Amino acid sequence: LGFQAGLTMTETPRYATLRDYLALLRRQRWVVLAITVAFGGAALGFSLSQTESYEAEASVQFRDISEDARILGDFGASGQNFLQQAAVEAEDVTSLEDAERVKKRLDTRSSPTELQNAVTARVDAQTGFVVIKSSWDDARFAAQVANEFAEVAVDDAIRNVNVQLDGAIE
């Protein structure tokens, strides 16, 4: 009976009501206000310290010319899986050599390494397209960079096809 000191059997536990919560907020209003201002100020400071960054994408589709040879009746030609071909091309798209060519085409002060670091390439598994994404602090320049990398990739692909065709003709 020593455990029930001061309690009688008829007392029931009291639950907090909305009035109790409002009273607590009134008593602690300065603490609540200080925390709100502190976190709001921190969020504002963080957002103002962030630099703007824009992203642009360009998509390119690569095809193996041996697939076209099958149409012409050369059934012995075995084409690479188009996703594998696209994966190989995606790795080449962001090479330093391509970044140097993009720098020349854009006539920019940015270094080839900066351009290379601003670009990523991935293969869209559903379409097999190589998606080239660039990020820059200028929206227009981000789009120009993505498009130029795509054009350089297309030029490379055309050059490779011409070399293969010339080899087949000889």
Side-chain angles (χ1 to χ4, degrees), residues 93-112:
V93 165
T94 59
S95 70
L96 188 57
E97 180 184 322
D98 284 357
E100 289 170 355
R101 290 176 36 210
V102 167
K103 177 184 172 34
K104 287 178 187 173
R105 286 180 172 205
L106 291 176
D107 192 27
T108 180
R109 292 182 181 177
S110 301
S111 72

Side-chain angles (χ1 to χ4, degrees), residues 59 62 94 102 119 156:
S59 298
F62 295 97
T94 59
V102 167
V119 175
D156 287 345

